[in-house]
Amino acid sequence: LEPLIRLLADESQEVLEASWHATMTVSTAVGPTAMAVHIGPARTMFRLAVDAAPTTDGSIPGLCLPKGIGPFVPMLSHGLLQGSPEVREQAALGIAEVVEYSTAKAVGPFVLKLTGALIRVISDRFAWQVRAGILRALLCLLRKVGMAMRTFLPQLQSTFLKNLSDTTRTVRHRSAQALGALASLQPKLDPLVREVMSQIANKSANSASIRSSFCEAFVEIMQNCKELPDVAAEGWNFLLEGLTDDDSGTLEKV
């Protein structure tokens, strides 16, 4: 598998197409269960392929072919849904990376399958590393093919809001970023902004660190929304009250 991934960065169109078909053949013949053990090495090869690719946008040419990520979707989906916690984390990060290294057109046919699997797993009680990996993958998908994910917007919003109260800073930070990406796809943001404001104001239930993460989410929403919601001005008061001295990054954004 590793040599084939390397060839997905070749300059020759004929080599790209041949290596892609060969990779698809291997994926189909071996099956997702056996392929899943190669997720870690495949991720390493993806990064090497990006460095070797003749592109300047961080893409891998072979993954930009029609249905370019197709050979890797069964492997990554199986690892995400059936693997150990460590394999699930690697699979989620692998999904994020193949999406980053591809194009919207090449990712499009697999959006529903990947998004559904990611939402399903993040709702289970896995370690924070798994949830952080899934949030990164969902964020990459939103940025790449957000409009194709509109069916999932209510579920995604609920998921990101829930994870803003996580005990781990990385999970909260990625949830705030994901809500910002989600805001660019939603025409009516007042209900979402009011929910974020209520959590910033709820000092009895939320710690200072969690309230500051909701402040970060508020800023991300304001930065990414297409039109400021009616409650935006009111929200700044909640924001300034909820920030702490440790929130220099959020303060800079404000």
Side-chain angles (χ1 to χ4, degrees):
L1 181 63
E2 287 81 356
L4 292 174
I5 294 176
R6 189 182 304 116
L7 290 174
L8 292 175
D10 199 88
E11 295 183 3
S12 167
Q13 185 69 19
E14 291 184 2
V15 172
L16 291 178
E17 293 180 1
S19 59
W20 184 90
H21 284 291
T23 306
M24 179 63 82
T25 300
V26 170
S27 175
T28 303
V30 175
T33 302
M35 288 285 288
V37 302
H38 298 284
I39 291 176
R43 291 186 59 218
T44 299
M45 292 309 304
F46 287 140
R47 291 190 288 271
L48 293 175
V50 169
D51 293 337
T55 56
T56 58
D57 59 358
S59 65
I60 297 176
L63 295 183
C64 300
L65 295 171
K67 298 184 179 181
I69 68 172
F72 307 100
V73 169
M75 170 181 76
L76 295 171
S77 296
H78 180 84
L80 180 68
L81 293 169
Q82 305 294 334
S84 65
E86 292 76 14
V87 171
R88 291 175 193 258
E89 178 192 4
Q90 289 294 312
L93 294 172
I95 291 171
E97 288 161 358
V98 296
V99 170
E100 282 185 359
Y101 303 151
S102 186
T103 63
K105 186 176 181 180
V107 173
F110 310 100
V111 170
L112 297 182
K113 180 175 183 178
L114 291 175
T115 305
L118 290 164
I119 292 176
R120 175 180 170 185
V121 176
I122 200 173
S123 64
D124 294 332
R125 295 184 177 181
F126 289 107
W128 70 265
Q129 292 92 337
V130 177
R131 285 178 280 116
I134 291 173
L135 287 166
R136 180 184 167 191
L138 289 170
L139 178 59
C140 290
L141 281 165
L142 282 168
R143 288 173 172 171
K144 184 77 69 172
V145 289
M147 293 302 294
M149 301 170 69
R150 294 184 69 87
T151 303
F152 296 101
L153 292 190
Q155 291 171 276
L156 290 171
Q157 180 173 306
S158 175
T159 296
F160 299 151
L161 284 170
K162 177 182 178 181
N163 281 279
L164 272 174
S165 297
D166 194 85
T167 56
T168 305
R169 169 63 181 160
T170 301
V171 172
R172 298 198 305 272
H173 174 63
R174 290 183 180 171
S175 297
Q177 289 182 307
L179 274 178
L182 203 68
S184 66
L185 306 172
Q186 293 179 291
K188 297 182 180 180
L189 289 171
D190 286 272
L192 171 60
V193 174
R194 288 193 181 280
E195 173 61 24
V196 171
M197 288 163 51
S198 70
Q199 296 299 326
I200 295 173
N202 193 350
K203 296 182 179 180
S204 61
N206 296 327
S207 65
S209 60
I210 288 177
R211 293 201 312 276
S212 68
S213 291
F214 276 96
C215 291
E216 181 183 0
F218 178 88
V219 174
E220 290 284 350
I221 292 169
M222 293 300 106
Q223 284 186 320
N224 289 280
C225 65
K226 294 181 179 179
E227 183 177 346
L228 286 176
D230 295 336
V231 296
E234 181 183 351
W236 291 114
N237 294 326
F238 284 85
L239 178 71
L240 295 174
E241 290 177 6
L243 288 172
T244 68
D245 292 338
D246 296 329
D247 296 316
S248 58
T250 304
L251 280 168
E252 183 178 348
K253 289 183 179 181
V254 174

